[in-house]
Every structure is written in C-alpha cells, then in structure tokens.
Amino acid sequence: NPRIGDVIQKLAPFLKMYGEYVKNFDKAVELITLWSEKSPPFQELIADIQKRKVCANLTLQHHMLEPVQRIPRYELLLKDYVRKLPPESPDRDDAEKALEMIFMVAKHSNAAIAEMERLQNLWAVYQRLGLEDDIVDPSNELIKEGPIQKISTRNNSTSEKYLFLFNNMLLYCVPKVIQVGAEFQVHLRIDVDGMKVRELNDTQFPHTFLVSGKQRTLELQAR
C-alpha cells in the first residue's frame, strides 16, 4: 500500500529550519562573491571543487540555491499528487494534511525572509541617522521618508529638511553638508501618539500643512 502523506507529515515540522537558510542566502552569496574577488586561493579552491564529477558541472551558487527551491518543490509535488490521487485512496487524508503543513512551512519561510529584509532596511535607515540610542529599536516600522520644505513665518522663506515617518514617531532631520558617517542629523522627534496633521490654504506657499505634536508644531511644504 504505497503512500507518502504520513511520512511528509512527520518531516514537515523540521522543514521550518529552511527559513533560517533562506534568510541568510543573499548574505552567503555576497560573501562568496566578495572572497572570490579578494582571494585568488579561495577562488582556485572553489573552481577546483566545481570541476569534480559529483558537482555535475554546476557552480557552488547553483548548489546553494537548491535548498531555497526545495520547499516550493515539495508544495508543487504534493499539489500534483493530491490532484491525481483517486478519491477512495487510503493516502488522501494524510496527503491533504501533509500539503497543508508544507503550505504553512512555505509561509513561515516567506515570513522569515520578509522580517529579515525589514530589519536590514531599518538598520540601513538607522545608519543614515547616526544610530542614536533613543531611536534605534528593531520593533519600529518605517512607513515613509522624503524631502520637505520648512516654512519660516519670520522671514517668509523655506529651507530644505527631511522627514522619516515611523509607526511611533516622526523624525524631523537636516541633511548634513559633509556626509561623513551619518547622512542626516535629527533635529526633532515628534511622537505619533497625539500628533495632528492639518492642510493649510496658503496662496504664497501651496501644498503646505501643519504638523502638531506634544513636542512642537511645524509648518511644512510638500513638492
């Protein structure tokens, strides 16, 4: 009585470890590329290994990609298998449950990749801001960023500023003239909690709006 559903059910929970592998894949490939360029002995070693019969004329990067593709392949295999199983097959219930488990594993793997990408993007933003301790928090979420004009009511002029909007705070920044290290200097942090935004009808300065929060009120002009 050949069947695979029950076997895959036993193995499916362990397949979540592929999420860790997939998360690190891009970084691993970058490292191999970097050291292949920097170190001729390393490049020779890789080339020597790739010539071996067991490698089937494929590159190291190709072999590294195999585990990344494994979960989607399991999913496709099981979908096909379930579709072609006779309705009365004793493996039908187990196979359908196995497919559901593999689908959850694929979801877990994709979520791990998405979370890693979010953290990498967040870290890149923090580096541009100079990694100030009161700002750096891995749970933050960047919603939008971009240049803005600050309106000075004293002398009726505008100056170039930059905004970073997170889920919990708005950072009002000034671009650094000499960009060594951080790209921006944080001038003001306004908490999103209690913050209000109101559009203004100013004929002299179109597209203006008022941002008012616990810390301060700003009159800003968008492009």
Side-chain angles (χ1 to χ4, degrees):
N1 183 16
R3 54 196 299 170
I4 62 169
D6 57 332
V7 178
I8 291 176
Q9 276 185 56
K10 286 174 192 166
L11 295 172
F14 296 99
L15 296 176
K16 284 187 178 177
M17 70 176 73
Y18 280 94
E20 293 304 310
Y21 181 90
V22 172
K23 264 196 315 193
N24 198 47
F25 178 77
D26 287 346
K27 190 180 173 186
V29 171
E30 272 175 35
L31 270 173
I32 287 166
T33 307
L34 174 72
W35 283 102
S36 295
E37 290 168 0
K38 280 174 78 170
S39 169
F42 179 78
Q43 192 178 17
E44 284 166 25
L45 179 69
I46 298 294
D48 179 55
I49 293 168
Q50 287 174 170
K51 282 177 200 163
R52 293 177 194 176
K53 193 178 176 183
V54 71
C55 290
N57 294 321
L58 297 172
T59 63
L60 173 62
Q61 285 88 336
H62 185 98
H63 286 291
M64 286 169 65
L65 194 60
E66 287 289 311
V68 174
Q69 297 169 337
R70 193 159 292 156
I71 305 297
R73 282 175 182 168
Y74 269 124
E75 201 176 345
L76 288 170
L77 170 71
L78 275 168
K79 275 180 183 171
D80 214 26
Y81 178 70
V82 167
R83 194 173 69 247
K84 290 176 181 177
L85 266 181
E88 67 282 359
S89 167
D91 199 21
R92 172 158 286 280
D93 287 349
D94 278 335
E96 284 177 352
K97 192 175 177 187
L99 176 59
E100 199 177 308
M101 288 175 81
I102 290 291
F103 175 73
M104 292 311 291
V105 167
K107 205 171 168 184
H108 177 269
S109 182
N110 292 337
I113 298 165
E115 177 61 11
M116 184 49 66
E117 284 174 354
R118 186 190 75 80
L119 288 171
Q120 282 173 344
N121 293 338
L122 195 61
W123 186 250
V125 169
Y126 288 151
Q127 286 179 312
R128 291 163 67 202
L129 293 166
L131 301 173
E132 294 187 28
D133 289 345
D134 61 333
I135 291 167
V136 176
D137 183 340
S139 66
N140 285 346
E141 186 186 341
L142 179 68
I143 295 166
K144 202 172 179 68
E145 63 165 286
I148 202 86
Q149 294 290 325
K150 164 74 173 69
I151 298 170
S152 173
T153 46
R154 264 205 311 267
N155 49 17
N156 263 10
S157 64
T158 64
S159 55
E160 180 84 11
K161 306 295 180 199
Y162 204 91
L163 296 180
F164 288 92
L165 176 64
F166 292 86
N167 55 317
N168 59 342
M169 61 184 171
L170 176 71
L171 299 181
Y172 171 72
C173 307
V174 178
K176 282 190 171 180
V177 181
I178 303 167
Q179 287 183 12
V180 179
E183 192 181 334
F184 298 97
Q185 188 175 355
V186 180
H187 265 208
L188 187 66
R189 170 180 167 166
I190 299 175
D191 294 339
V192 164
D193 186 30
M195 188 173 79
K196 289 191 172 80
V197 179
R198 182 165 60 88
E199 198 175 346
L200 299 173
N201 293 316
D202 191 323
T203 49
Q204 189 180 353
F205 298 107
H207 319 302
T208 56
F209 59 98
L210 211 63
V211 175
S212 53
K214 293 171 190 170
Q215 289 78 8
R216 196 167 149 196
T217 297
L218 299 168
E219 193 174 338
L220 304 168
Q221 182 186 31
R223 285 176 179 169

